[in-house]
Amino acid sequence: MSTRSDELYALLEELARLTVLDEGDPQSFRARAYENALMALRSAPGDLASLSQAELLRIDGVGKATAKKVREFFETGRIARLELLREKYPPEFQRLARIPGLGPKTLALLREELGVETVDDLRRALERREVRGLKGLGAKTEENLAHAIERLGMSGKDRRTPIAEVIPVATRLVAELAALPEVERARYCGSLRRLSPTIGDVDILVASRRPGPVMDHFRALPSVRQAPRSGDTRSSIIPDRGLQVDLRIVAPEQFGAASLYFTGSKAHNIKLRQLAIKRGWTLNEYGLLEAETGRVIASETEEDIYAALGLAPIPAPMREDTGEIEASAAGELPGALGESDLLGDLHVHTDLSGDGRSALEDVIDRARARGYAYLAITDHGEDLAINGVSREGLLAQREALRELQARHPHMRLLHGVELNIGPEGGLDYDAGFRGSFDWCVAAVHSHFDLDREAQTRRILAAMENPAVDVIGHLTGRMIGRRPGIDLDVDAVLRGAASTGTAIEINSALPRLDAAWEVLRKARGLGVTFVVSTDAHHVDQLDRTRWGAMQAQRGWVEPGSVANTWPAERFGQWLAERRRS
Ligand code: DGT
Ligand code: CA
Ligand code: CA
């Protein structure tokens, strides 16, 4: 996929989002049209840039308004309508739309009546109890909004952006920089590279011998079109969504030292520097140096620097100073799960689910192209409103899957389902039908506000159900948007170990669930994990890299991840846990 197309997709997504805001209607017909067109464009073959408006219109799902904008983008590099909307709804204002319970209509009302432009404005209006005076809003709304703002940590200078919103922007910037002739290497560092769930700002590092031209190019890049905020340093630029980007440019031989420094975390760096000082060295963004003479001991790669300090290389997601340096020195660092260690995907939707977008055959082809030895298709159980699938629907899918199995002798196809865990731990369908699946994910999709005791009971009940093989996205959190259910994590982990139920590491960036702190607590308890994508579109089968990094961040041993096991061993494990 070309970077140009990726940029177009990002702009169309933004256009849909801002159209909802502009029309004050979450069901906006025009926004839906952009979204549908986006989906169609993503799966259209060939180079979009070469298509005329008429040819674009021939793609099923692409209407005239979108076709025009696609042409406009490829001809001028911009979409005027989007720029208009961006002006009307600055990033600060857009952040307001992320507050749960604050729909576009209310937002428009707050802006008109109270001049609310930012989250801080809203917080002040809430404190002054001005919101309850508005039409249709009461004291209860005030309370809910205040609670939501506090819970999301959105207010003030320490507000953070969910990683899912930052990765696409940062990836695009890095690709654009890497394509410049003066640039030898480019990567993002900071909390983003450590897979922190929320991001303060983006730190991009470039290796180049000609920093001047690189900085000029950077400013001229399409996604960095907006002017730098006044008073900022040379390197701070705000592309979109109010994100700040720090660009640092170093000489190629310093790339390792600079990567280490700007990846952090700060606490990790400080510990490393202490190790250096003990040896009479200094460590900074330019290298590991002899303190007296300034002689360079190591600087080109991170591995060189770790080695000189007597350490095994530490994967970026682990660098939080939670014992990783000590473990590395003692040779006790957990193995680092790699994307390529995953031999199958065990949580995948097709368009049979209301929210699935890809056909069964396409999903299977893509999984095979990834070289998988096994794949579980897990569409939603019927209890899920709108998106769930009836028993008949699933039985028909089972037939289709059996036929496809004959065409794919080298990949074992499991017919699975994603069951919904009810408030008391009940599940969809009846025991007989549940037991007829090869693989059952069970996950929470409702009742997020029960207390800890009830939530814990509910999960434990699901784990004890003989049909359930794995608990999907353990808490149901959507990072920065919805907190997960409150759980007694220790009890849940013990339950997983004693029942042999696996815990999913969900690779979707908005989820990254179970959280890394939970994974860390599981160490040594004998819990089995699976790393799954929860894909709703074939492209999302590729997000295993985030799941693998999340496993690293949680110190999960690759050997305890069931979908690293060869098909035979995986099959044995499944058969055994089903028997007992
Ligand atoms: P963020 O942006 O709040 O999500 O978190 P980070 O970790 O990206 O922090 P940021 O952007 O302030 O700094 C990027 C990296 O630069 C950080 O992870 C470590 C390094 N760094 C920043 N300030 C210091 C410092 O005072 N001392 C040391 N040793 N390293 C620092
Ligand atoms: Ca940062
Ligand atoms: Ca920074």
Side-chain angles (χ1 to χ4, degrees), residues 221-247:
L221 287 173
S223 45
V224 192
R225 206 176 298 114
Q226 281 166 4
R229 195 155 55 178
S230 58
D232 259 342
T233 62
R234 249 166 54 92
S235 57
S236 295
I237 296 184
I238 306 156
D240 59 9
R241 304 184 191 202
L243 267 182
Q244 180 170 322
V245 178
D246 286 353
L247 176 67

PDB file of all heavy atoms in Angstrom, residues 221-247:
ATOM      1  N   LEU A 221       6.148  18.895   4.490  1.00  0.00           N
ATOM      2  CA  LEU A 221       5.401  17.669   4.239  1.00  0.00           C
ATOM      3  C   LEU A 221       3.908  17.931   4.316  1.00  0.00           C
ATOM      4  O   LEU A 221       3.459  18.741   5.125  1.00  0.00           O
ATOM      5  CB  LEU A 221       5.775  16.594   5.278  1.00  0.00           C
ATOM      6  CG  LEU A 221       7.153  15.965   5.102  1.00  0.00           C
ATOM      7  CD1 LEU A 221       7.459  15.046   6.274  1.00  0.00           C
ATOM      8  CD2 LEU A 221       7.241  15.194   3.805  1.00  0.00           C
ATOM      9  N   PRO A 222       3.131  17.208   3.489  1.00  0.00           N
ATOM     10  CA  PRO A 222       1.685  17.467   3.450  1.00  0.00           C
ATOM     11  C   PRO A 222       1.016  17.347   4.812  1.00  0.00           C
ATOM     12  O   PRO A 222       0.148  18.145   5.159  1.00  0.00           O
ATOM     13  CB  PRO A 222       1.150  16.413   2.482  1.00  0.00           C
ATOM     14  CG  PRO A 222       2.289  15.575   2.069  1.00  0.00           C
ATOM     15  CD  PRO A 222       3.539  16.195   2.521  1.00  0.00           C
ATOM     16  N   SER A 223       1.433  16.354   5.602  1.00  0.00           N
ATOM     17  CA  SER A 223       0.755  16.166   6.880  1.00  0.00           C
ATOM     18  C   SER A 223       1.246  17.134   7.949  1.00  0.00           C
ATOM     19  O   SER A 223       0.735  17.157   9.055  1.00  0.00           O
ATOM     20  CB  SER A 223       0.918  14.725   7.343  1.00  0.00           C
ATOM     21  OG  SER A 223       2.249  14.322   7.159  1.00  0.00           O
ATOM     22  N   VAL A 224       2.227  17.920   7.646  1.00  0.00           N
ATOM     23  CA  VAL A 224       2.757  18.881   8.610  1.00  0.00           C
ATOM     24  C   VAL A 224       2.467  20.286   8.103  1.00  0.00           C
ATOM     25  O   VAL A 224       3.209  21.213   8.336  1.00  0.00           O
ATOM     26  CB  VAL A 224       4.273  18.683   8.824  1.00  0.00           C
ATOM     27  CG1 VAL A 224       4.779  19.467  10.013  1.00  0.00           C
ATOM     28  CG2 VAL A 224       4.580  17.213   9.018  1.00  0.00           C
ATOM     29  N   ARG A 225       1.350  20.394   7.365  1.00  0.00           N
ATOM     30  CA  ARG A 225       1.089  21.647   6.694  1.00  0.00           C
ATOM     31  C   ARG A 225       0.830  22.789   7.669  1.00  0.00           C
ATOM     32  O   ARG A 225       1.145  23.927   7.408  1.00  0.00           O
ATOM     33  CB  ARG A 225      -0.067  21.500   5.719  1.00  0.00           C
ATOM     34  CG  ARG A 225       0.008  22.500   4.596  1.00  0.00           C
ATOM     35  CD  ARG A 225      -1.087  22.267   3.587  1.00  0.00           C
ATOM     36  NE  ARG A 225      -0.973  20.964   2.952  1.00  0.00           N
ATOM     37  CZ  ARG A 225      -1.864  19.983   3.100  1.00  0.00           C
ATOM     38  NH1 ARG A 225      -2.912  20.158   3.852  1.00  0.00           N
ATOM     39  NH2 ARG A 225      -1.710  18.848   2.487  1.00  0.00           N
ATOM     40  N   GLN A 226       0.236  22.450   8.826  1.00  0.00           N
ATOM     41  CA  GLN A 226      -0.100  23.523   9.757  1.00  0.00           C
ATOM     42  C   GLN A 226       1.159  24.162  10.336  1.00  0.00           C
ATOM     43  O   GLN A 226       2.163  23.501  10.544  1.00  0.00           O
ATOM     44  CB  GLN A 226      -0.996  23.005  10.871  1.00  0.00           C
ATOM     45  CG  GLN A 226      -2.423  22.899  10.380  1.00  0.00           C
ATOM     46  CD  GLN A 226      -3.287  22.094  11.294  1.00  0.00           C
ATOM     47  OE1 GLN A 226      -2.843  21.655  12.346  1.00  0.00           O
ATOM     48  NE2 GLN A 226      -4.519  21.872  10.890  1.00  0.00           N
ATOM     49  N   ALA A 227       1.057  25.447  10.583  1.00  0.00           N
ATOM     50  CA  ALA A 227       2.219  26.189  11.030  1.00  0.00           C
ATOM     51  C   ALA A 227       2.665  25.717  12.414  1.00  0.00           C
ATOM     52  O   ALA A 227       1.856  25.320  13.228  1.00  0.00           O
ATOM     53  CB  ALA A 227       1.890  27.664  11.085  1.00  0.00           C
ATOM     54  N   PRO A 228       3.975  25.801  12.682  1.00  0.00           N
ATOM     55  CA  PRO A 228       4.456  25.481  14.019  1.00  0.00           C
ATOM     56  C   PRO A 228       3.840  26.441  15.036  1.00  0.00           C
ATOM     57  O   PRO A 228       3.629  27.608  14.721  1.00  0.00           O
ATOM     58  CB  PRO A 228       5.960  25.706  13.932  1.00  0.00           C
ATOM     59  CG  PRO A 228       6.281  25.892  12.505  1.00  0.00           C
ATOM     60  CD  PRO A 228       5.038  26.214  11.767  1.00  0.00           C
ATOM     61  N   ARG A 229       3.598  25.923  16.204  1.00  0.00           N
ATOM     62  CA  ARG A 229       3.028  26.781  17.246  1.00  0.00           C
ATOM     63  C   ARG A 229       4.075  27.817  17.618  1.00  0.00           C
ATOM     64  O   ARG A 229       5.242  27.496  17.780  1.00  0.00           O
ATOM     65  CB  ARG A 229       2.684  25.908  18.459  1.00  0.00           C
ATOM     66  CG  ARG A 229       1.780  26.591  19.415  1.00  0.00           C
ATOM     67  CD  ARG A 229       1.000  25.574  20.199  1.00  0.00           C
ATOM     68  NE  ARG A 229       1.892  24.600  20.863  1.00  0.00           N
ATOM     69  CZ  ARG A 229       1.429  23.639  21.628  1.00  0.00           C
ATOM     70  NH1 ARG A 229       0.138  23.498  21.810  1.00  0.00           N
ATOM     71  NH2 ARG A 229       2.243  22.798  22.208  1.00  0.00           N
ATOM     72  N   SER A 230       3.646  29.036  17.721  1.00  0.00           N
ATOM     73  CA  SER A 230       4.612  30.094  17.979  1.00  0.00           C
ATOM     74  C   SER A 230       5.278  29.858  19.331  1.00  0.00           C
ATOM     75  O   SER A 230       4.662  29.385  20.271  1.00  0.00           O
ATOM     76  CB  SER A 230       3.911  31.438  17.974  1.00  0.00           C
ATOM     77  OG  SER A 230       2.905  31.419  18.956  1.00  0.00           O
ATOM     78  N   GLY A 231       6.545  30.203  19.403  1.00  0.00           N
ATOM     79  CA  GLY A 231       7.274  30.033  20.643  1.00  0.00           C
ATOM     80  C   GLY A 231       7.853  28.637  20.809  1.00  0.00           C
ATOM     81  O   GLY A 231       8.620  28.394  21.725  1.00  0.00           O
ATOM     82  N   ASP A 232       7.477  27.742  19.937  1.00  0.00           N
ATOM     83  CA  ASP A 232       8.013  26.397  20.052  1.00  0.00           C
ATOM     84  C   ASP A 232       9.450  26.336  19.554  1.00  0.00           C
ATOM     85  O   ASP A 232       9.899  27.186  18.812  1.00  0.00           O
ATOM     86  CB  ASP A 232       7.168  25.410  19.253  1.00  0.00           C
ATOM     87  CG  ASP A 232       6.233  24.631  20.140  1.00  0.00           C
ATOM     88  OD1 ASP A 232       6.453  24.586  21.362  1.00  0.00           O
ATOM     89  OD2 ASP A 232       5.279  24.053  19.607  1.00  0.00           O
ATOM     90  N   THR A 233      10.141  25.289  19.944  1.00  0.00           N
ATOM     91  CA  THR A 233      11.499  25.113  19.460  1.00  0.00           C
ATOM     92  C   THR A 233      11.444  24.765  17.981  1.00  0.00           C
ATOM     93  O   THR A 233      10.405  24.436  17.442  1.00  0.00           O
ATOM     94  CB  THR A 233      12.198  23.964  20.207  1.00  0.00           C
ATOM     95  OG1 THR A 233      11.464  22.779  19.935  1.00  0.00           O
ATOM     96  CG2 THR A 233      12.238  24.225  21.681  1.00  0.00           C
ATOM     97  N   ARG A 234      12.588  24.806  17.360  1.00  0.00           N
ATOM     98  CA  ARG A 234      12.709  24.501  15.943  1.00  0.00           C
ATOM     99  C   ARG A 234      12.023  23.193  15.556  1.00  0.00           C
ATOM    100  O   ARG A 234      11.546  23.031  14.448  1.00  0.00           O
ATOM    101  CB  ARG A 234      14.203  24.358  15.617  1.00  0.00           C
ATOM    102  CG  ARG A 234      14.773  25.457  14.761  1.00  0.00           C
ATOM    103  CD  ARG A 234      16.289  25.390  14.814  1.00  0.00           C
ATOM    104  NE  ARG A 234      16.762  24.050  14.464  1.00  0.00           N
ATOM    105  CZ  ARG A 234      17.080  23.675  13.230  1.00  0.00           C
ATOM    106  NH1 ARG A 234      16.952  24.512  12.248  1.00  0.00           N
ATOM    107  NH2 ARG A 234      17.515  22.470  12.989  1.00  0.00           N
ATOM    108  N   SER A 235      12.003  22.262  16.481  1.00  0.00           N
ATOM    109  CA  SER A 235      11.614  20.915  16.094  1.00  0.00           C
ATOM    110  C   SER A 235      10.168  20.568  16.423  1.00  0.00           C
ATOM    111  O   SER A 235       9.723  19.487  16.123  1.00  0.00           O
ATOM    112  CB  SER A 235      12.528  19.914  16.789  1.00  0.00           C
ATOM    113  OG  SER A 235      12.452  20.107  18.176  1.00  0.00           O
ATOM    114  N   SER A 236       9.436  21.451  17.055  1.00  0.00           N
ATOM    115  CA  SER A 236       8.099  21.089  17.500  1.00  0.00           C
ATOM    116  C   SER A 236       7.044  21.544  16.513  1.00  0.00           C
ATOM    117  O   SER A 236       6.886  22.725  16.262  1.00  0.00           O
ATOM    118  CB  SER A 236       7.810  21.702  18.861  1.00  0.00           C
ATOM    119  OG  SER A 236       8.677  21.138  19.796  1.00  0.00           O
ATOM    120  N   ILE A 237       6.328  20.603  15.967  1.00  0.00           N
ATOM    121  CA  ILE A 237       5.365  20.920  14.933  1.00  0.00           C
ATOM    122  C   ILE A 237       4.080  20.165  15.213  1.00  0.00           C
ATOM    123  O   ILE A 237       4.109  19.046  15.730  1.00  0.00           O
ATOM    124  CB  ILE A 237       5.942  20.552  13.550  1.00  0.00           C
ATOM    125  CG1 ILE A 237       7.158  21.450  13.305  1.00  0.00           C
ATOM    126  CG2 ILE A 237       4.909  20.719  12.468  1.00  0.00           C
ATOM    127  CD1 ILE A 237       7.788  21.284  11.979  1.00  0.00           C
ATOM    128  N   ILE A 238       2.972  20.769  14.885  1.00  0.00           N
ATOM    129  CA  ILE A 238       1.685  20.132  15.166  1.00  0.00           C
ATOM    130  C   ILE A 238       1.002  19.741  13.865  1.00  0.00           C
ATOM    131  O   ILE A 238       0.490  20.595  13.162  1.00  0.00           O
ATOM    132  CB  ILE A 238       0.775  21.109  15.932  1.00  0.00           C
ATOM    133  CG1 ILE A 238       1.505  21.611  17.178  1.00  0.00           C
ATOM    134  CG2 ILE A 238      -0.526  20.432  16.300  1.00  0.00           C
ATOM    135  CD1 ILE A 238       0.995  22.928  17.657  1.00  0.00           C
ATOM    136  N   PRO A 239       0.990  18.456  13.522  1.00  0.00           N
ATOM    137  CA  PRO A 239       0.381  18.086  12.251  1.00  0.00           C
ATOM    138  C   PRO A 239      -1.149  18.135  12.320  1.00  0.00           C
ATOM    139  O   PRO A 239      -1.760  19.053  11.821  1.00  0.00           O
ATOM    140  CB  PRO A 239       0.872  16.679  12.001  1.00  0.00           C
ATOM    141  CG  PRO A 239       1.733  16.298  13.153  1.00  0.00           C
ATOM    142  CD  PRO A 239       1.534  17.308  14.229  1.00  0.00           C
ATOM    143  N   ASP A 240      -1.778  17.176  12.946  1.00  0.00           N
ATOM    144  CA  ASP A 240      -3.227  17.271  13.087  1.00  0.00           C
ATOM    145  C   ASP A 240      -3.629  16.721  14.445  1.00  0.00           C
ATOM    146  O   ASP A 240      -2.815  16.208  15.192  1.00  0.00           O
ATOM    147  CB  ASP A 240      -3.956  16.570  11.943  1.00  0.00           C
ATOM    148  CG  ASP A 240      -3.601  15.105  11.861  1.00  0.00           C
ATOM    149  OD1 ASP A 240      -2.931  14.597  12.781  1.00  0.00           O
ATOM    150  OD2 ASP A 240      -3.990  14.463  10.883  1.00  0.00           O
ATOM    151  N   ARG A 241      -4.880  16.841  14.785  1.00  0.00           N
ATOM    152  CA  ARG A 241      -5.408  16.346  16.047  1.00  0.00           C
ATOM    153  C   ARG A 241      -4.683  16.901  17.262  1.00  0.00           C
ATOM    154  O   ARG A 241      -4.606  16.271  18.311  1.00  0.00           O
ATOM    155  CB  ARG A 241      -5.333  14.827  16.102  1.00  0.00           C
ATOM    156  CG  ARG A 241      -6.055  14.216  14.938  1.00  0.00           C
ATOM    157  CD  ARG A 241      -6.065  12.736  15.031  1.00  0.00           C
ATOM    158  NE  ARG A 241      -6.531  12.210  13.754  1.00  0.00           N
ATOM    159  CZ  ARG A 241      -7.041  11.031  13.588  1.00  0.00           C
ATOM    160  NH1 ARG A 241      -7.176  10.238  14.597  1.00  0.00           N
ATOM    161  NH2 ARG A 241      -7.439  10.635  12.418  1.00  0.00           N
ATOM    162  N   GLY A 242      -4.033  18.039  17.099  1.00  0.00           N
ATOM    163  CA  GLY A 242      -3.398  18.651  18.251  1.00  0.00           C
ATOM    164  C   GLY A 242      -2.184  17.903  18.756  1.00  0.00           C
ATOM    165  O   GLY A 242      -1.775  18.075  19.888  1.00  0.00           O
ATOM    166  N   LEU A 243      -1.606  17.085  17.910  1.00  0.00           N
ATOM    167  CA  LEU A 243      -0.438  16.318  18.342  1.00  0.00           C
ATOM    168  C   LEU A 243       0.820  17.125  18.166  1.00  0.00           C
ATOM    169  O   LEU A 243       1.026  17.748  17.126  1.00  0.00           O
ATOM    170  CB  LEU A 243      -0.297  15.066  17.482  1.00  0.00           C
ATOM    171  CG  LEU A 243      -0.932  13.785  17.974  1.00  0.00           C
ATOM    172  CD1 LEU A 243      -0.616  12.688  16.988  1.00  0.00           C
ATOM    173  CD2 LEU A 243      -0.445  13.439  19.361  1.00  0.00           C
ATOM    174  N   GLN A 244       1.684  17.059  19.156  1.00  0.00           N
ATOM    175  CA  GLN A 244       2.980  17.696  19.000  1.00  0.00           C
ATOM    176  C   GLN A 244       4.019  16.663  18.602  1.00  0.00           C
ATOM    177  O   GLN A 244       4.028  15.550  19.116  1.00  0.00           O
ATOM    178  CB  GLN A 244       3.393  18.365  20.295  1.00  0.00           C
ATOM    179  CG  GLN A 244       4.753  19.031  20.154  1.00  0.00           C
ATOM    180  CD  GLN A 244       5.084  19.899  21.339  1.00  0.00           C
ATOM    181  OE1 GLN A 244       4.205  20.570  21.885  1.00  0.00           O
ATOM    182  NE2 GLN A 244       6.334  19.881  21.744  1.00  0.00           N
ATOM    183  N   VAL A 245       4.865  17.036  17.679  1.00  0.00           N
ATOM    184  CA  VAL A 245       5.918  16.133  17.227  1.00  0.00           C
ATOM    185  C   VAL A 245       7.272  16.771  17.488  1.00  0.00           C
ATOM    186  O   VAL A 245       7.507  17.909  17.101  1.00  0.00           O
ATOM    187  CB  VAL A 245       5.790  15.842  15.713  1.00  0.00           C
ATOM    188  CG1 VAL A 245       6.931  14.950  15.259  1.00  0.00           C
ATOM    189  CG2 VAL A 245       4.454  15.195  15.412  1.00  0.00           C
ATOM    190  N   ASP A 246       8.152  16.038  18.159  1.00  0.00           N
ATOM    191  CA  ASP A 246       9.533  16.485  18.342  1.00  0.00           C
ATOM    192  C   ASP A 246      10.392  15.729  17.346  1.00  0.00           C
ATOM    193  O   ASP A 246      10.450  14.500  17.392  1.00  0.00           O
ATOM    194  CB  ASP A 246      10.025  16.161  19.752  1.00  0.00           C
ATOM    195  CG  ASP A 246       9.404  17.083  20.791  1.00  0.00           C
ATOM    196  OD1 ASP A 246       8.720  18.041  20.386  1.00  0.00           O
ATOM    197  OD2 ASP A 246       9.606  16.840  21.985  1.00  0.00           O
ATOM    198  N   LEU A 247      11.009  16.466  16.442  1.00  0.00           N
ATOM    199  CA  LEU A 247      11.903  15.821  15.473  1.00  0.00           C
ATOM    200  C   LEU A 247      13.340  16.097  15.876  1.00  0.00           C
ATOM    201  O   LEU A 247      13.724  17.244  16.078  1.00  0.00           O
ATOM    202  CB  LEU A 247      11.641  16.378  14.072  1.00  0.00           C
ATOM    203  CG  LEU A 247      12.581  15.856  12.978  1.00  0.00           C
ATOM    204  CD1 LEU A 247      12.365  14.377  12.728  1.00  0.00           C
ATOM    205  CD2 LEU A 247      12.396  16.643  11.686  1.00  0.00           C
TER     206      LEU A 247
END
